[in-house]
Amino acid sequence: MSKRIRRWSAVLPLVLVAGVGVSAATAGTTADVLLSRGQPVLASSLEDGTFPAENAVDGNTTTRWASMEGVDPQWLWVDLGQAADVHRVKLNWEAAYASSYRIEVSDDGTNFTTTKSLTGQNGGTDDITGLSGHGRYVRVVGTQRGTAWGYSLFELEVYGVTDSTGDTEAPTVPAGLTSTGVTSSSVALSWSASSDNIGVSGYDVLRNGVAVATATSTSYTDVGLTADTSYSYSVRARDLAGNVSGTSTAITARTSAGGTNQFVLAAAGDIAKQCTASSSSCIHPKTANVVDFIKPANVITMGDNQYDDAYLSDFQNYYAKTWGRFKSITKPSAGNHESYAEPAFSGYEGYFGAIAKPQGKRYYSWDKGNWHFVALDSNDFVSGGSSSTQMAWLKADLAATNKGCIATYYHHPRWSTGERGSIGNAALWKVMTDNKVDLVLNGHDHHYERFYPLNGDGQRDPNGTVEIIGGMAGASPYDLGPAESITAKRLSTYGVLKLNMTDNSFTSTLLGLNNEVLDSSPTYTCKAKP
C-alpha cells in the first residue's frame, strides 16, 4: 500500500440526540432492512478532509472514511433515526482494517452497550449476523489496528427492525394550543408535547381546518396572512409509524390591522452646526438636499438637532434654514445638546413647539400604516438622568399597541463601535428586545453603523432587534474604534437614512451627499409581538 498523507484533523465533537429506549427484541432477520444508509455519522478523527465519516454510509464502495494514523482506539458512530432491534452489521474494510473491534448499541447516544466483540480479524468484508442489540445509535470501535495506518471503511451497513414497524398506536392529542404573538401577516403558535409508545415525529398545523405545515417542535409561526383577519388553528401529532392523533381543540387568532400603503421615511441625527450654505464645509445644507431627494412621508431625527448649545436663536439661524423646511413632517427626538440651553431644552421646545411634545412630554408615540413609532428622550437613561417615569410609560405604550411592526428612536446608542462607545442604557435595550421591537434608530456617535439583529445581551440573533446609528447629518465625524462581529456595516461618512416601510417589513438605505447608495440592508420581516 502506498504511503498515506499524514494530515491530522481535530477530533470531531460528539453531537447527541436523545433516543427512545424499550426492551430488546429477540434476534432475527425475517424483516431486517438496511437502516444506516445516508444517516448522520460521526467519527473520532479523520485522516484528512477527503475521507469524511459520511463516506462510510453513502452506498458507494469507492469512497471511504479514514481515521488518523497510528492511534488506538478510534470509532465510527451512526444515528439510525429511531430506535431499532439491530440484528446484523456488515463492514467493508479498506486495506487499513481493524484486527480487533467491538460493536456497540445505545438508546441515548451516550451510554453504549457492547453487543459483539471480535478479535483476530483479517480485513476484507465482515458480515456479522445474529446480533441482539437494541437502540438508536450504533458504534464500531476499533481497539487494535491490523496495519501501521489507521482505520478505514468503505461501507458500514446496519440491518434490523425499527420499533415503529407494526406499530398501530397513535400519539396523544396535543394540548395547550395557544397564540404567542401576532403581526399583520403572521400568527405564532405553541402547544404541549404529545406522548407516544415509540416517539412523536412531528405535528400537523391546521389553519381553518386545512393542514398548512408540519412542525418538528411544539411551536410554529404561520406567515403570509391577511391583516385584520381571524384564523382558526388546531394541531395533531404523528408518530414514526405514520399514526395520527386526534385534532386538538381549535383556537382563534386575529392578525393585527395593517396599513393600506407602503411609505418612505428619512432619518438622521447630529445635524446642524452653526454654519450656512455659504461655507462649502457646511454639511447640513447638503444632507437637507438628500432629504429632498428622498421625498419622505416623515422625517425622524435622533437628537442633537442643533449645535452647540441649541438655543432658540441657533435653531432659527441654522437648523430652520435647511432641515427646517421639513418641520411640518418632522417627528423629532432630543439629544444631549438640546439640554445645554438655559433652561434645558428651551430652544428645542421653543422651535418645534407642539411637535416636540405632542403628548405633553419629550417622549411620545405615533402610528403610520401598520407601524408604531416611539420617540424617546434618552437623556433620562444616561448618567444623571431619571428614567423611571419614562420607562413606565414606555412599557405601557408598547403593551397597548396593536400594530404589527415597531420602531423606536432616541439619541444615545446601546451598541456602538464609535468614539463614544456603547453608552446606552442596558435595561432600555432589554425592553426593546423583550417587546420584539423591530428597529431602533440612534445618533450621538458621529458615524453610520448598522448592526445585525441582536438579542437582549447584544448577541447576534435572527429574532433580535436591528439597531442603526445615523449620527452623520452634519456634525464632524468621530473616529471609529475596533470593529466587532455584531456590526453588519459601518462607515465614517455623511448621509441620510432612507427607510422603506411595508405592512410587515422594512429595509434601510444609506444615501451619501450625492444621493449615492453607500449601504443597503436586507429586508427585515417584522416579528410576532408578545
Side-chain angles (χ1 to χ4, degrees):
M1 180 176 180
S2 61
K3 185 176 180 180
R4 293 167 174 263
I5 300 173
R6 287 174 168 79
R7 291 176 59 192
W8 307 80
S9 68
V11 175
L12 298 178
L14 181 58
V15 180
L16 303 178
V17 183
V20 180
V22 297
S23 60
T26 304
T29 59
T30 303
D32 286 352
V33 296
L34 178 60
L35 304 174
S36 54
R37 180 69 50 80
Q39 295 289 357
V41 287
L42 294 173
S44 54
S45 69
L46 302 179
E47 180 181 317
D48 63 48
T50 61
F51 305 113
E54 55 265 30
N55 283 355
V57 294
D58 64 0
N60 185 345
T61 56
T62 65
T63 63
R64 61 187 175 94
W65 160 69
S67 76
M68 63 173 62
E69 299 177 3
V71 178
D72 292 316
Q74 299 291 331
W75 50 258
L76 187 67
W77 175 103
V78 59
D79 176 1
L80 303 179
Q82 59 173 295
D85 290 321
V86 175
H87 300 142
R88 176 188 176 197
V89 172
K90 185 177 180 180
L91 303 172
N92 184 354
W93 294 100
E94 194 251 356
Y97 67 94
S99 61
S100 297
Y101 62 93
R102 61 181 183 265
I103 299 170
E104 302 176 336
V105 182
S106 170
D107 282 323
D108 60 10
T110 301
N111 302 295
F112 282 86
T113 299
T114 299
T115 190
K116 186 78 171 182
S117 292
L118 298 102
T119 58
Q121 301 301 108
N122 58 5
T125 299
D126 294 339
D127 195 351
I128 305 139
T129 60
L131 302 178
S132 58
H134 177 271
R136 175 171 172 167
Y137 308 90
V138 175
R139 186 167 66 179
V140 177
V141 182
T143 57
Q144 183 175 339
R145 288 165 288 116
T147 68
W149 302 297
Y151 299 87
S152 183
L153 279 167
F154 287 116
E155 285 294 305
L156 161 65
E157 296 178 349
V158 179
Y159 295 84
V161 180
T162 62
D163 287 358
S164 64
T165 301
D167 174 35
T168 59
E169 182 177 335
T172 60
V173 176
L177 176 63
T178 186
S179 172
T180 57
V182 299
T183 71
S184 64
S185 61
S186 67
V187 172
L189 303 166
S190 69
W191 56 90
S192 299
S194 297
S195 60
D196 185 72
N197 62 317
I198 301 301
V200 174
S201 61
Y203 298 88
D204 296 334
V205 179
L206 289 80
R207 182 206 309 142
N208 297 335
V210 178
V212 294
T214 298
T216 56
S217 66
T218 57
S219 63
Y220 177 75
T221 298
D222 193 22
V223 298
L225 306 177
T226 302
D228 200 21
T229 302
S230 293
Y231 294 91
S232 174
Y233 288 98
S234 55
V235 292
R236 62 194 180 205
R238 292 181 176 273
D239 68 13
L240 295 166
N243 300 303
V244 182
S245 75
T247 303
S248 71
T249 301
I251 65 167
T252 298
R254 189 175 186 86
T255 53
S256 55
T260 57
N261 297 299
Q262 301 179 8
F263 59 94
V264 174
L265 303 175
D270 305 271
I271 301 170
K273 293 181 68 175
Q274 294 185 12
C275 61
T276 65
S278 61
S279 170
S280 60
S281 63
C282 192
I283 301 300
H284 63 94
K286 300 174 184 179
T287 55
N289 291 335
V290 178
V291 177
D292 270 329
F293 175 79
I294 293 172
K295 294 179 173 55
N298 289 101
V299 173
I300 287 173
T301 71
M302 290 90 80
D304 283 4
N305 303 271
Q306 178 61 58
Y307 286 84
D308 279 326
D309 296 326
Y311 286 107
L312 177 57
S313 58
D314 297 325
F315 271 97
Q316 292 168 335
N317 290 331
Y318 306 105
Y319 183 95
K321 294 179 178 179
T322 57
W323 282 63
R325 61 181 177 267
F326 316 113
K327 183 177 178 180
S328 64
I329 60 170
T330 296
K331 306 287 188 179
S333 66
N336 53 291
H337 277 267
E338 274 78 24
S339 71
Y340 297 164
E342 190 64 44
F345 304 102
S346 57
Y348 171 73
E349 294 174 1
Y351 174 73
F352 282 112
I355 294 174
K357 301 171 68 174
Q359 296 164 1
K361 303 288 185 181
R362 282 187 299 277
Y363 45 89
Y364 59 94
S365 61
W366 53 285
D367 294 335
K368 193 172 190 69
N370 193 38
W371 279 83
H372 183 66
F373 295 91
V374 183
L376 298 177
D377 177 8
S378 60
N379 292 287
D380 283 354
F381 293 92
V382 295
S383 179
S386 178
S387 64
S388 58
T389 300
Q390 187 175 178
M391 181 68 88
W393 172 88
L394 172 63
K395 291 179 179 179
D397 179 84
L398 292 175
T401 184
N402 67 347
K403 297 298 184 180
C405 304
I406 301 175
T408 66
Y409 55 101
Y410 47 94
H411 190 57
H412 301 86
R414 175 66 185 96
W415 311 105
S416 175
T417 63
E419 185 175 310
R420 298 297 178 87
S422 302
I423 65 171
N425 185 279
L428 177 60
W429 179 257
K430 190 69 162 52
V431 170
M432 300 298 149
T433 57
D434 286 350
N435 286 275
K436 297 187 180 297
V437 170
D438 301 288
L439 173 64
V440 173
L441 301 171
N442 300 125
H444 195 56
D445 249 339
H446 299 177
H447 71 288
Y448 169 80
E449 187 162 10
R450 176 172 57 84
F451 293 86
Y452 291 106
L454 304 176
N455 63 21
D457 296 320
Q459 298 169 335
R460 289 174 59 170
D461 182 343
N463 296 312
T465 298
V466 175
E467 179 194 307
I468 301 176
I469 297 174
M472 65 293 166
S476 300
Y478 291 158
D479 292 334
L480 295 175
E484 296 183 8
S485 61
I486 61 175
T487 300
K489 183 74 172 183
R490 63 177 190 164
L491 295 166
S492 180
T493 189
Y494 294 111
V496 177
L497 275 172
K498 177 184 179 182
L499 302 170
N500 290 278
M501 324 301 278
T502 76
D503 279 352
N504 59 10
S505 68
F506 74 93
T507 57
S508 67
T509 305
L510 175 63
L511 298 181
L513 298 183
N514 295 315
N515 304 322
E516 72 275 26
V517 174
L518 302 180
D519 181 46
S520 293
S521 78
T523 298
Y524 292 106
T525 300
C526 299
K527 298 175 289 295
K529 301 301 180 281

